[in-house]
């Protein structure tokens, strides 16, 4: 006879249940993934992942290293091919669409490695990224970006390779905002950063939320994720095994410790 936690995980793995719990968001979801399966070679990394994210939400994707979080993001974005399942953006079928087509839907990706151009200056990184959003507008002028990230103003003519890790992360987020994206997928944005930089990134995410932006956050720093996210998905071994609202975090501390090793 299984433990209570095993029973809960088995229930969370039930595809019918996953679809039922995602259903209330489906009418207004900006992004939906339904029963996604993906492989790296023979390794079955995503094993039927379903989630839905509404416009204006900040959603945390939690889990230990190696549980498939980054693969999920890369599959949604078209960098990894989905073997089965569906991806919809704004209700439109986008399964295995080319990454540029996903980007044109107003989705921006800040990868774990930040992905800036090290041979370009901060100014050049920001200028080359500028374009209008899906509504033909982009309020993130160069002046506004530099006001939001004053450290980048100080380093405007430095090369990307000359920046600290925190400065590179700021530049990566600022560059995505310059593309006009209003849905940001952030993969481990605080990894290896000093507390003062983490606080600045948290303030930036808070500002974006107030302006109606949507954020999907993959984050090992649970305290940071808890401070900026409205709700959470938890991944284990390529599956979504739990869903939590921010209000549940206190009474679900034992479960979170089990999932994340807190």
């Amino acid at each position: 006879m299984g433990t209570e936690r095993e029973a809960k995980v088995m229930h969370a793995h039930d595809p019918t249940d996953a679809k039922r719990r995602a259903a209330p968001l489906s009418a207004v979801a900006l992004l939906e993934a339904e029963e996604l399966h993906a492989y790296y070679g023979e390794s079955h990394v995503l094993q039927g992942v379903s989630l839905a994210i509404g416009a204006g939400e900040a959603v945390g994707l939690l889990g230990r290293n190696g549980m498939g979080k980054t693969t999920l993001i890369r599959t949604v974005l078209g960098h990894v091919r989905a073997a089965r399942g569906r991806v919809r953006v704004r209700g439109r079928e986008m399964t295995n669409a080319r990454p540029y087509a996903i980007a044109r839907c107003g989705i921006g990706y800040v990868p774990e490695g930040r992905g800036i151009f090290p041979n370009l200056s901060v100014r050049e990184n920001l200028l080359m990224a500028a374009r209008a959003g899906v509504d033909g507008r982009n309020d993130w002028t160069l002046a506004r970006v530099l006001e939001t990230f004053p450290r980048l103003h100080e380093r405007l003519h430095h090369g990307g390779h000359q920046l600290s890790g925190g400065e590179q992360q700021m530049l990566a987020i600022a560059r995505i905002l310059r593309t006009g994206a209003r849905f940001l997928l952030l993969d481990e944005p605080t990894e290896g950063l000093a507390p003062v930089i983490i606080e600045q990134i948290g303030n930036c995410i808070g500002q974006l939320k107030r302006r109606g932006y949507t954020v999907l956050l993959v984050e090992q720093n649970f305290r940071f994720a808890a401070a900026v996210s409205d709700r959470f998905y938890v991944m284990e071994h390529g599956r979504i095994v739990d869903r939590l609202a921010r209000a549940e975090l206190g009474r679900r501390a034992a479960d979170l410790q089990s999932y994340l090793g807190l």
Side-chain angles (χ1 to χ4, degrees):
M1 186 170 183
T3 66
E4 181 180 348
R5 180 168 179 270
E6 287 170 341
K8 177 181 65 179
V9 171
M10 289 174 65
H11 179 69
H13 290 176
D14 182 348
T16 303
D17 182 67
K19 292 177 185 177
R20 177 182 61 78
R21 283 184 285 175
L25 275 175
S26 61
V28 295
L30 182 56
L31 171 69
E32 293 176 283
E34 182 180 347
E35 286 298 301
L36 279 184
H37 292 256
Y39 293 77
Y40 285 135
E42 297 297 318
S43 180
H44 191 178
V45 181
L46 299 185
Q47 302 182 27
V49 175
S50 296
L51 56 76
I53 299 172
E57 287 194 293
V59 176
L61 183 61
L62 307 177
R64 300 175 193 252
N65 286 331
M67 295 300 171
K69 304 184 302 297
T70 295
T71 301
L72 173 58
I73 288 181
R74 290 177 55 80
T75 303
V76 165
L77 293 172
H79 295 288
V80 174
R81 183 169 182 81
R84 298 197 302 279
R86 301 176 67 185
V87 174
R88 288 184 291 271
V89 180
R90 305 178 190 274
R92 178 184 172 191
E93 178 68 34
M94 296 297 285
T95 311
N96 291 326
R98 296 292 182 91
Y100 70 81
I102 301 290
R104 287 175 179 172
C105 294
I107 297 180
Y109 176 41
V110 180
E112 186 175 355
R114 296 164 187 142
I116 65 169
F117 292 99
N119 57 325
L120 299 182
S121 69
V122 168
R123 184 175 188 275
E124 289 167 336
N125 266 277
L126 294 172
L127 289 178
M128 61 83 61
R131 59 180 182 270
V134 293
D135 59 357
R137 299 176 52 210
N138 186 353
D139 297 331
W140 285 93
T141 63
L142 182 60
R144 183 179 172 193
V145 164
L146 297 178
E147 181 181 357
T148 303
F149 299 98
R151 183 61 178 158
L152 295 183
H153 194 290
E154 299 172 10
R155 307 282 277 170
L156 197 57
H157 300 291
H158 287 73
H161 67 284
Q162 296 176 300
L163 304 182
S164 69
E167 292 165 346
Q168 289 183 11
Q169 189 65 64
M170 292 178 188
L171 178 57
I173 295 173
R175 193 180 64 169
I176 288 299
L177 293 173
R178 290 279 285 161
T179 70
R182 294 190 63 86
F183 183 3
L184 308 186
L185 280 63
L186 308 180
D187 195 353
E188 302 288 359
T190 70
E191 184 177 23
L193 302 186
V196 64
I197 303 298
I198 292 173
E199 182 179 359
Q200 291 176 19
I201 291 173
N203 291 339
C204 178
I205 293 175
Q207 180 185 145
L208 293 174
K209 285 174 60 180
R210 290 189 292 273
R211 293 179 177 272
Y213 282 70
T214 306
V215 178
L216 176 59
L217 175 70
V218 174
E219 183 56 73
Q220 290 291 322
N221 184 337
F222 174 72
R223 290 187 178 181
F224 176 81
V228 302
S229 303
D230 303 313
R231 61 188 181 90
F232 308 86
Y233 289 94
V234 182
M235 286 192 72
E236 280 192 346
H237 306 296
R239 295 174 173 144
I240 300 293
V241 297
D242 212 340
R243 296 157 175 76
L244 304 92
R246 181 190 288 174
E248 297 180 273
L249 295 180
R251 67 179 180 84
R252 298 289 305 280
D255 292 328
L256 288 167
Q257 183 172 1
S258 177
Y259 292 138
L260 307 175
L262 298 176

